[in-house]
Amino acid sequence: MAVLSVCSAETLTDAAKALRAGALVAFPTETVYGLGADAESAEAVARIYSTKGRPADHPLIVHIDSIDRMGEWSSDIPAYAIALARDYWPGPMTLVLKRSEIAGDFITGGQETVGLRVPAHPLALGLLQAFVAAGGRGIAAPSANRFGAVSPTTADAVQEELGEFLAESDLILDGGPSLVGLESTIIDCTGDAPRVLRLGAITHEMIEETTGLKVIENDTAPEIRVSGSLESHYSPKAKVLLDVVAEAGDGLIAPDQIPTPNGVIRLMAPSTIEQYARDLYRALRMADQQGLEIVVVLQPGGDGLAAAIRDRLQRAAHE
Ligand code: TXA
Ligand code: MG
């Protein structure tokens, strides 16, 4: 497996051809790094599952190069979903729609729906465009971590997570740190109104403003499988304790106005909520690199992105 940090047009064309030939290509997105495979190849997609150690009945997000390809992968698209796509694509949002016939069971986990996203990172878009030029239609990509672990927000973190499981012909594209830092907001658009399945940077307020509809609170319908909705997920090896006093030897993640007690290892001191989201996974990873046993996290207050951060922290802390 090669790590490519100079991503010229030629590199992207080569990576796109590798994908078409059945290789896996990890690539940056603005949310987290994804582990990509040709979404129309059952064999390539099977390698995503084995590389991640992920159960094969979990559906994957199909990444597409533009809103124009929505109708290729899905059908019966409601007007509010088109409004969302117009306003927030490319961007950190996944729409769950009724699948078309090209979305195979190996993508949807056998469900009648498919998750679609146009990512905003220029390298991801460049790769998708090169992939279309090479005859492809969509890149299936979960976060590029082992199942249940913290999502990678840098190419180094991808290598650390998956390096030993990738094959020689697989690639990792390095596009610098992900700027959002939390996985996309997932919105189920199969009902009369949008239902948020996973919180993210596209907030309830933004969804309601665009659609003029009230977001349906997620009652975690058991028939919909969102692996990120398992109670324990996004977990580092260190034990994560929320909103307690850190003791000497513990790691600490807290807003910048909170001082660091004596002997405590400060992992992150964000001054904004965007910074908190962007750096959180890197800080959790740092705790493991330093061999810490406990990371104390003081959760941010507020709605929107803060609520998405608390959602991930609660799963990271769940045993
Ligand atoms: O930001 C992101 O969404 C990143 C980047 C790489 O795009 N991807 C990501 O993928 O987080 P993953 O597989 O780690 O999480 C996607 C979640 C999974 O929990 C999956 O179950 C859910 O999306 N999902 C995918 N298709 C779905 C569908 N048709 N219905 C319900 N949930 C779906
Ligand atoms: Mg994931």
Side-chain angles (χ1 to χ4, degrees):
M1 164 264 315
V3 182
L4 305 176
S5 46
V6 181
C7 294
S8 60
E10 286 88 344
T11 316
L12 293 179
T13 300
D14 290 347
K17 285 182 182 154
L19 280 169
R20 292 288 287 156
L24 300 183
V25 175
F27 61 96
T29 86
E30 73 280 19
T31 58
V32 300
Y33 274 65
L35 178 65
D38 184 341
E40 293 181 87
S41 164
E43 295 77 39
V45 168
R47 284 202 51 231
I48 289 183
Y49 289 108
S50 57
T51 304
K52 277 187 62 104
R54 176 174 173 162
D57 61 350
H58 283 264
L60 295 170
I61 296 171
V62 177
H63 296 71
I64 52 178
D65 63 329
S66 108
I67 184 172
D68 299 337
R69 211 168 291 283
M70 234 177 149
E72 216 166 73
W73 285 93
S74 61
S75 64
D76 303 341
I77 306 169
Y80 73 81
I82 292 173
L84 286 168
R86 286 226 177 92
D87 277 5
Y88 303 123
W89 277 350
M93 176 184 77
T94 297
L95 300 181
V96 170
L97 296 159
K98 188 162 184 288
R99 70 168 163 182
S100 74
E101 68 288 347
I102 68 167
D105 283 343
F106 57 91
I107 288 294
T108 70
Q111 302 179 90
E112 287 308 315
T113 57
V114 63
L116 298 179
R117 175 160 111 85
V118 181
H121 193 292
L123 260 187
L125 276 178
L127 178 65
L128 282 161
Q129 281 152 10
F131 185 69
V132 166
R137 294 197 279 192
I139 301 178
S143 51
N145 50 278
R146 295 282 288 168
F147 184 63
V150 176
S151 298
T153 52
T154 62
D156 280 353
V158 175
Q159 198 165 9
E160 188 185 292
E161 281 284 325
L162 300 178
E164 63 184 295
F165 303 101
L166 290 170
E168 207 172 321
S169 53
D170 297 336
L171 296 170
I172 299 176
L173 304 183
D174 185 348
S178 298
L179 292 180
V180 175
L182 285 188
E183 303 80 359
S184 61
T185 304
I186 302 182
I187 309 170
D188 176 2
C189 299
T190 59
D192 293 337
R195 184 156 66 117
V196 173
L197 301 179
R198 182 174 71 185
L199 300 177
I202 303 300
T203 63
H204 280 44
E205 202 183 344
M206 292 163 80
I207 298 167
E208 291 179 351
E209 187 175 313
T210 286
T211 63
L213 297 168
K214 182 111 190 68
V215 168
I216 302 171
E217 285 311 320
N218 190 22
D219 47 9
T220 54
E223 75 273 15
I224 295 183
R225 286 185 292 267
V226 182
S227 65
S229 73
L230 294 178
E231 284 184 336
S232 169
H233 213 76
Y234 311 107
S235 302
K237 293 189 184 71
K239 194 175 166 68
V240 175
L241 300 179
L242 302 178
D243 304 323
V244 300
V245 176
E247 291 173 10
D250 294 350
L252 177 65
I253 291 175
D256 66 345
Q257 72 270 22
I258 307 284
T260 310
N262 270 343
V264 165
I265 300 115
R266 190 62 175 256
L267 296 166
M268 179 174 124
S271 54
T272 64
I273 200 69
E274 288 76 21
Q275 213 179 349
Y276 200 130
R278 188 193 65 197
D279 295 340
L280 176 62
Y281 289 162
R282 199 159 44 104
L284 291 174
R285 230 166 247 293
M286 212 186 293
D288 284 347
Q289 278 159 357
Q290 298 189 14
L292 302 184
E293 279 173 23
I294 291 175
V295 186
V296 169
V297 185
L298 303 190
Q299 302 190 81
D303 319 322
L305 192 55
I309 293 170
R310 291 195 304 275
D311 167 75
R312 302 307 193 279
L313 285 172
Q314 273 147 32
R315 296 178 207 287
H318 196 278
E319 296 181 43

